[in-house]
């Protein structure tokens, strides 16, 4: 799926009425109460090889995620980098975690989130198990689950600043892969 096709899927997620009943995670167009979840790209199955093919496929998906974050940043401003480890720990400790973060925290390490009109939108990379393929996904929700994304003043909806730079580099890279050489964020190494 090209970046243009990924953007079209994201626009559809933001425009569609939200589901009232839970759906399965990581199925295109599904989600849960008040959110949609869609795969934008699914990587190759993990193979029993020297790891080179798998790592190459992961790097390709990382590059696609970076490109998508860059394009969405031009639309809606700098993203809020949301580290889901905190939510995974809370969930494991029996504390409530709001959706869609509860669905995502077991398989996605970092989300990049924006306020997109009347929806909260986030993209990230993740996998549900080491043997399963890596996925580039998007989630759109009615409300910001934890007040993480704020309206960006001076950014019209759907508009953007042609001179906007890349999203900010992540300060905490304890469980992410850091940044690329051009300073753009590189998503975590997944669960």
């Amino acid at each position: 799926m090209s970046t243009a096709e990924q953007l079209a899927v994201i626009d559809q997620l933001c425009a569609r009425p939200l589901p009232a009943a839970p759906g399965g995670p990581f199925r295109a167009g599904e989600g849960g109460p008040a959110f949609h979840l869609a795969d934008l790209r699914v990587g190759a199955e993990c193979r029993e090889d020297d790891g080179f093919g798998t790592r190459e496929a992961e790097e390709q998906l990382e590059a696609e995620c970076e490109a998508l974050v860059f394009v969405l940043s031009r639309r809606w401003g700098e993203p809020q980098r949301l580290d889901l480890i905190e939510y995974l720990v809370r969930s494991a400790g029996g504390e409530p975690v709001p959706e869609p973060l509860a669905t995502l925290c077991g398989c996605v390490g970092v989300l990049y989130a924006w306020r997109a009109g009347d929806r909260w939108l986030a993209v990230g990379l993740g996998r549900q198990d080491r043997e399963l393929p890596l996925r580039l996904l998007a989630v759109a929700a009615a409300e910001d689950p934890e007040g993480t994304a704020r309206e960006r003043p001076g950014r019209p909806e759907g508009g953007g600043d042609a001179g906007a730079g890349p999203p900010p580099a992540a300060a905490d890279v304890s469980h992410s892969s850091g940044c690329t050489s051009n300073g753009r964020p590189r998503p975590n190494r997944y669960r």
Side-chain angles (χ1 to χ4, degrees):
M1 186 181 297
S2 70
T3 302
E5 292 169 322
Q6 292 170 349
L7 291 172
V9 170
I10 288 169
D11 290 342
Q12 290 172 359
L13 290 179
C14 289
R16 288 179 34 204
L18 293 162
F26 298 122
R27 293 193 182 132
E30 292 189 11
F35 74 94
H36 288 298
L37 182 62
D39 288 327
L40 300 176
R41 180 130 188 282
V42 178
E45 295 271 334
C46 294
R47 302 184 307 265
E48 292 290 328
D49 62 8
D50 62 1
F52 180 75
T54 301
R55 183 66 208 136
E56 192 173 85
E58 286 179 355
E59 287 174 356
Q60 176 62 35
L61 274 169
E62 288 173 355
E64 286 186 35
C65 185
E66 289 174 12
L68 188 58
V69 168
F70 183 78
V71 171
L72 292 173
S73 295
R74 288 181 176 250
R75 264 192 192 186
W76 295 308
E78 291 182 6
Q80 178 72 33
R81 183 181 182 276
L82 188 57
D83 185 340
L84 297 188
I85 291 292
E86 168 191 345
Y87 299 97
L88 182 61
V89 170
R90 283 174 42 189
S91 177
E95 293 180 45
V97 174
E99 289 291 358
L101 303 180
T103 296
L104 296 171
C105 70
C107 54
V108 177
V110 175
L111 285 174
Y112 296 92
W114 298 265
R115 192 71 186 155
D118 66 343
R119 299 284 170 97
W120 177 83
L121 171 76
V123 297
L125 291 173
R127 67 168 42 110
Q128 290 176 300
D129 195 342
R130 290 185 75 63
E131 291 78 32
L132 294 176
L134 185 62
R135 298 171 185 266
L136 172 58
L137 58 92
V139 60
E143 296 184 16
D144 186 341
E146 293 271 287
T148 58
R150 293 166 191 70
E151 289 287 345
R152 303 294 193 257
R155 294 261 182 201
E157 179 181 342
D161 181 359
D172 174 17
V173 295
S174 58
H175 60 278
S176 72
S177 59
C179 296
T180 61
S181 59
N182 65 3
R184 294 195 333 224
R186 180 172 298 238
N188 73 319
R189 289 286 182 218
Y190 336 109
R191 307 250 180 268

